[in-house]
Amino acid sequence: MRTIAILNNKGGVGKTTSTVNIAAAMQILGKRVLVIDIDHQAQATYHFGLSAGDVKFTIFEALKGEVSFDDAKIDRNGIDILPSKNDLKDLDFLPFPAKEFLLKEVMEKVKGYDYVLIDCPPSLGILTLNALTYASEIIVPLQLEFLPFHGMYNLFEGVQMVKQRLNKGIEVTGIIGTMYNAAKSINREVLSETDERLPGKLYQTLVRENVALQEAPSWGKTIFEYKSDSNGAVDYMNLTKEIVAQG
Ligand SMILES: Nc1ncnc2c1ncn2[C@@H]1O[C@H](COP(=O)(O)OP(=O)(O)OP(=O)(O)O)[C@@H](O)[C@H]1O
Ligand SMILES: [Mg+2]
């Protein structure tokens, strides 16, 4: 079972879009997939078309130990989802000791998936630390522009800290270039800079800028359900094949 945190503390870089559509591509490839939404914005949950009415319990109740994993998870056409909702932000205020380990405890006995993907919030706070304490891999979606590239070093420092104090074995297994537009020279420049400074980390497949990827969440659909012939669907499928081939 590969457990992968989709992480970047910068906001709006394509974490949720990548989590949802990689999960969907994995399912198409015959893999058993669990998506954990550990962002209090609950955007992966919404992207999958789950509304408050569909969700009886969320990851928040599971982390607090009030319900089991099985009670909180939802089967959405064959992809299992541990959904989130807004009150997850209150985890910060709960008086539990060693709060970084709550997700790991919830997941202790969970088996039977090929892949667990965790959609992280845009911060390195307690929710993200829960993801990083449990996961064994990190995949970083990166918008190929100057500030996001710069911010990634910040992120790597945070990951180093996590390796030292919480999870020795965790590794960054790949970087996804998102919202790529070959006509933008900054995209091409940052692409070659990333290749140079972090050789081998960037997936060959770049996810191109694609309107269908922006539209799909409002229909509660993955890109494969919404427009299976779009560039977004093609790119996420090729990218997912690369991720699957890694191990
Ligand atoms: N390849 C793409 N082409 C065009 N738009 C995209 C692409 N990928 C993502 N987007 C859009 O960019 C916005 C941010 O994407 P997304 O929500 O996936 O980022 P995020 O990193 O999860 O954000 P947050 O940090 O707030 O959780 C969304 O409106 C999304 O539809
Ligand atoms: Mg998100």
Side-chain angles (χ1 to χ4, degrees):
M1 189 157 103
R2 284 176 66 189
T3 51
I4 305 172
I6 310 294
L7 175 71
N8 193 329
N9 52 335
K10 179 138 181 56
V13 295
K15 292 180 290 293
T16 301
T17 305
S18 296
T19 305
V20 167
N21 293 310
I22 292 169
M26 284 173 166
Q27 187 197 27
I28 293 169
L29 294 172
K31 309 296 180 190
R32 288 162 303 169
V33 187
L34 168 68
V35 172
I36 298 177
D37 187 352
I38 201 158
D39 184 357
H40 60 81
Q41 300 176 95
Q43 294 191 328
T45 303
Y46 294 132
H47 194 327
F48 275 117
L50 300 172
S51 61
D54 303 317
V55 174
K56 189 161 172 219
F57 300 114
T58 67
I59 187 171
F60 191 37
E61 286 79 37
L63 292 174
K64 287 189 287 182
E66 292 170 4
V67 304
S68 69
F69 168 80
D70 284 325
D71 289 335
K73 90 160 183 226
I74 293 177
D75 177 349
R76 191 247 189 219
N77 302 335
I79 297 179
D80 279 354
I81 301 175
L82 191 52
S84 175
K85 68 173 191 254
N86 180 265
D87 57 8
L88 182 59
K89 65 182 181 309
D90 298 337
L91 189 71
D92 256 338
F93 309 114
L94 293 183
F96 291 125
K99 264 192 293 197
E100 294 85 356
F101 292 88
L102 295 174
L103 180 65
K104 190 173 179 174
E105 283 165 24
V106 168
M107 296 301 293
E108 215 154 45
K109 296 199 183 80
V110 175
K111 295 205 168 57
Y113 297 105
D114 299 309
Y115 293 90
V116 178
L117 302 182
I118 311 168
D119 186 26
C120 295
S123 79
L124 293 172
I126 189 65
L127 294 170
T128 295
L129 290 177
N130 265 272
L132 298 184
T133 301
Y134 165 63
S136 51
E137 298 177 46
I138 297 169
I139 291 180
V140 180
L142 172 70
Q143 206 179 347
L144 296 161
E145 291 176 13
F146 179 72
L147 290 177
F149 179 73
H150 199 257
M152 200 167 54
Y153 284 89
N154 221 331
L155 174 67
F156 289 157
E157 273 172 28
V159 171
Q160 217 36 50
M161 202 107 79
V162 167
K163 274 174 83 80
Q164 281 165 14
R165 306 183 69 118
L166 290 167
N167 186 355
K168 255 198 335 258
I170 195 162
E171 293 292 347
V172 175
T173 44
I175 299 171
I176 307 170
T178 62
M179 304 178 207
Y180 181 67
N181 182 340
K184 289 185 184 163
S185 60
I186 184 70
N187 279 186
R188 297 195 309 271
E189 281 163 29
V190 172
L191 184 63
S192 66
E193 183 125 1
T194 309
D195 254 342
E196 213 170 279
R197 294 223 209 159
L198 300 159
K201 281 292 180 207
L202 198 62
Y203 292 104
Q204 294 289 314
T205 308
L206 300 170
V207 179
R208 287 166 288 181
E209 235 172 32
N210 180 242
V211 175
L213 286 170
Q214 297 171 346
E215 294 167 348
S218 68
W219 299 93
K221 291 181 174 178
T222 72
I223 193 64
F224 303 98
E225 294 162 344
Y226 179 64
K227 266 189 191 159
S228 60
D229 60 350
S230 61
N231 285 345
V234 170
D235 293 344
Y236 272 111
M237 181 52 77
N238 288 332
L239 171 69
T240 302
K241 286 179 180 163
E242 282 188 63
I243 294 171
V244 166
Q246 282 180 311

